[in-house]
Amino acid sequence: MKTILDEIVSQKRIEILEKQKTQSIESFRNSENFLLPVKSAKASILDKSKSGIIAEFKRKSPSKGFINKDENVKEVVSGYEKYGASLVSVLTDEQFFGGSFDDLQQAKEILNIPVLRKDFIVDEFQVYETKAIGADLILLIAECLTKDEVYHLAKTAKEIGLEVLLELHSEDQLEKVNEFIDLIGINNRNLKNFEVDIEKSKQILKQLPTDLIKVAESGISDPKTVKELRQAGFQGFLIGENFMKAENPSQAFEQFVKESK
């Protein structure tokens, strides 16, 4: 049975073919952002003056529809940084998540912390594109890539200066971790039944290389959960909908950070 992830990846491949008619890796290499140094996500998460939270700007999800369609990206992300976010994650998928390159670039214009491009990367074309639009960090989702694809895409990202966050969902994806990965994200949500299982994440955590930054992802809505995950050994926490569904995402983030210390 075709999953939503399969559907998204199929759409990505169609979008890439369409973009390749007017853009090329060479055009990305010649773009203004390509030569700019990236800000280190690893350093920012390890900075004790920050919260360790990767706060997300997300307008929509495939399962829930629009969460916060018209929020001003600069207002939201400046609040995230002000109240201690280590990174900001910006959705750039348009069809399923209502995101855009414009959202990411607006965020990048005003932030002093790293920006993660949150999307579904399946081709090296997108890796170069990620650098060209100004992101500091790229997300690779193990669930939709083979071991060889993860290796190639991560190696390409590192060669052009991007840091790499690899997202795992299960123990059988541990073999996809390689020397080009900077951060490992463990998604607490089971993609088959969408249940959140923090205990499962803790088990996977114990099997990860000690030198990698560990990030807990998805289903985090209670500051107590951050405390529990931090105690287990996670250093970063990617949180999206919890803030974006609030009337004022920045205020919601500020309160959450206070309660998670």
Side-chain angles (χ1 to χ4, degrees), residues 12 15-28 101 117 121-132 152-153 156 160:
K12 284 292 141 191
E15 288 174 10
I16 291 162
L17 289 172
E18 195 59 36
K19 286 178 179 181
Q20 285 174 331
K21 292 176 183 176
T22 57
Q23 295 171 297
S24 67
I25 287 173
E26 194 55 38
S27 69
F28 294 143
F101 290 173
R117 178 190 180 185
I121 306 298
V122 294
D123 191 282
E124 72 167 24
F125 179 87
Q126 295 167 288
V127 179
Y128 286 91
E129 179 182 65
T130 299
K131 185 79 189 289
H152 173 68
L153 294 171
T156 302
I160 61 174

Side-chain angles (χ1 to χ4, degrees), residues 214-229:
K214 284 81 169 183
V215 179
E217 301 179 13
S218 283
I220 303 172
S221 57
D222 187 336
K224 289 177 189 170
T225 306
V226 168
K227 289 181 182 179
E228 185 183 337
L229 289 167

Side-chain angles (χ1 to χ4, degrees), residues 6-243:
D6 295 330
E7 195 181 330
I8 292 170
V9 169
S10 296
Q11 176 60 28
K12 284 292 141 191
R13 297 197 186 280
I14 292 167
E15 288 174 10
I16 291 162
L17 289 172
E18 195 59 36
K19 286 178 179 181
Q20 285 174 331
K21 292 176 183 176
T22 57
Q23 295 171 297
S24 67
I25 287 173
E26 194 55 38
S27 69
F28 294 143
R29 282 189 172 279
N30 292 327
S31 66
E32 188 181 341
N33 287 321
F34 206 86
L35 298 175
L36 296 177
V38 299
K39 297 182 176 78
S40 172
K42 291 189 293 184
S44 198
I45 283 180
L46 293 174
D47 183 343
K48 298 296 185 191
S49 70
K50 297 183 173 69
S51 65
I53 294 173
I54 304 172
E56 196 155 85
F57 187 85
K58 179 178 181 179
R59 297 187 186 278
K60 178 185 174 185
S61 82
S63 58
K64 297 178 183 174
F66 279 104
I67 302 160
N68 203 329
K69 184 180 180 182
D70 301 315
E71 195 64 67
N72 182 293
V73 62
K74 287 187 176 180
E75 285 180 16
V76 173
V77 302
S78 61
Y80 286 164
E81 179 172 19
K82 180 180 178 181
Y83 298 119
S86 295
L87 272 72
V88 166
S89 166
V90 181
L91 269 295
T92 57
D93 172 81
E94 185 174 355
Q95 181 165 330
F96 298 92
F97 290 87
S100 67
F101 290 173
D102 185 57
D103 281 345
L104 187 142
Q105 287 167 328
Q106 284 198 50
K108 183 72 180 174
E109 274 178 30
I110 60 162
L111 290 172
N112 297 300
I113 54 175
V115 177
L116 165 68
R117 178 190 180 185
K118 184 91 175 285
D119 211 318
F120 298 81
I121 306 298
V122 294
D123 191 282
E124 72 167 24
F125 179 87
Q126 295 167 288
V127 179
Y128 286 91
E129 179 182 65
T130 299
K131 185 79 189 289
I133 63 173
D136 302 289
L137 180 69
I138 196 167
L139 172 72
L140 299 178
I141 302 172
E143 186 84 8
C144 60
L145 298 166
T146 66
K147 181 180 178 180
D148 287 346
E149 285 171 334
V150 170
Y151 182 90
H152 173 68
L153 294 171
K155 183 173 184 285
T156 302
K158 294 298 288 182
E159 284 171 352
I160 61 174
L162 293 169
E163 288 189 345
V164 182
L165 167 62
L166 177 66
E167 178 181 299
L168 308 179
H169 292 84
S170 60
E171 287 163 325
D172 60 7
Q173 293 165 355
L174 286 164
E175 65 166 16
K176 297 179 184 179
V177 179
N178 61 59
E179 65 266 34
F180 302 109
I181 306 300
D182 299 290
L183 305 94
I184 292 279
I186 302 177
N187 198 317
N188 303 307
R189 184 173 279 120
N190 183 315
L191 288 189
K192 293 184 174 70
N193 59 23
F194 288 95
E195 288 177 0
V196 173
D197 185 358
I198 287 167
E199 293 308 313
K200 178 74 173 172
S201 297
K202 289 180 185 177
Q203 288 304 313
I204 298 173
L205 177 76
K206 293 174 184 174
Q207 300 172 62
L208 293 174
T210 54
D211 59 330
L212 292 172
I213 304 283
K214 284 81 169 183
V215 179
E217 301 179 13
S218 283
I220 303 172
S221 57
D222 187 336
K224 289 177 189 170
T225 306
V226 168
K227 289 181 182 179
E228 185 183 337
L229 289 167
R230 189 178 278 125
Q231 201 164 6
F234 284 97
Q235 298 139 299
F237 314 90
L238 196 152
I239 306 175
E241 276 176 32
N242 190 60
F243 307 131

